Amino acid sequence: MPTPPPVAKRPTTLLIATAIVLFETVALWGYIILLVATAIGEEDIWRVAGFIAMWTVALTFLSMGLWRRRKWTRAPLIVLQLLLSVIGFSLINGDAPAPGAVLVVLAVGCVGLLLVSQTREALS
């Protein structure tokens, strides 16, 4: 019986980037649940909830692709993380500086980890 080929070990940079994206995804799902729970009876909040839900579904599929080491996930994740950093900067300048700073640090850190050659080589 032939032995299966060895599975390449995931580099630490890929694991950390995947953890960041999964954390952001879980946090956004929690935020959507909070929005829906507080939006019962209001009409204006549903547009915001729909936009955030679209963002969350995209991050969910991209995080699954990153976990499965799909090469196509890298570019969309970099773009979404850069957009999240812009949202974080607007939060810093607005009413929520602490969550904005956390968002900027996570997003920029994830972009850096996705651009590292170890992560690029690990994605098939």
Side-chain angles (χ1 to χ4, degrees):
M1 211 182 246
T3 60
V7 177
K9 187 178 177 186
R10 283 181 166 81
T12 306
T13 56
L14 180 62
L15 289 174
I16 295 171
T18 305
I20 290 172
V21 174
L22 286 173
F23 174 74
E24 291 170 346
T25 304
V26 170
L28 280 175
W29 278 113
Y31 186 63
I32 286 175
I33 291 170
L34 178 71
L35 278 177
V36 169
T38 59
I40 296 176
E42 293 185 31
E43 293 182 19
D44 294 337
I45 198 76
W46 291 106
R47 266 189 222 125
V48 174
F51 178 73
I52 294 173
M54 181 181 63
W55 191 288
T56 306
V57 168
L59 269 177
T60 301
F61 284 117
L62 289 171
S63 65
M64 288 174 20
L66 190 63
W67 179 254
R68 293 179 181 165
R69 301 171 112 182
R70 303 291 186 242
K71 190 174 189 172
W72 59 266
T73 60
R74 193 168 159 255
L77 274 175
I78 290 172
V79 170
L80 285 177
Q81 295 299 325
L82 290 174
L83 289 172
L84 278 175
S85 69
V86 171
I87 292 171
F89 277 120
S90 68
L91 286 173
I92 290 173
N93 292 332
D95 295 337
V102 170
L103 187 59
V104 169
V105 168
L106 286 176
V108 172
C110 188
V111 168
L113 290 170
L114 289 170
L115 291 174
V116 173
S117 62
Q118 293 171 341
T119 305
R120 183 177 41 85
E121 292 168 359
L123 297 175
S124 60

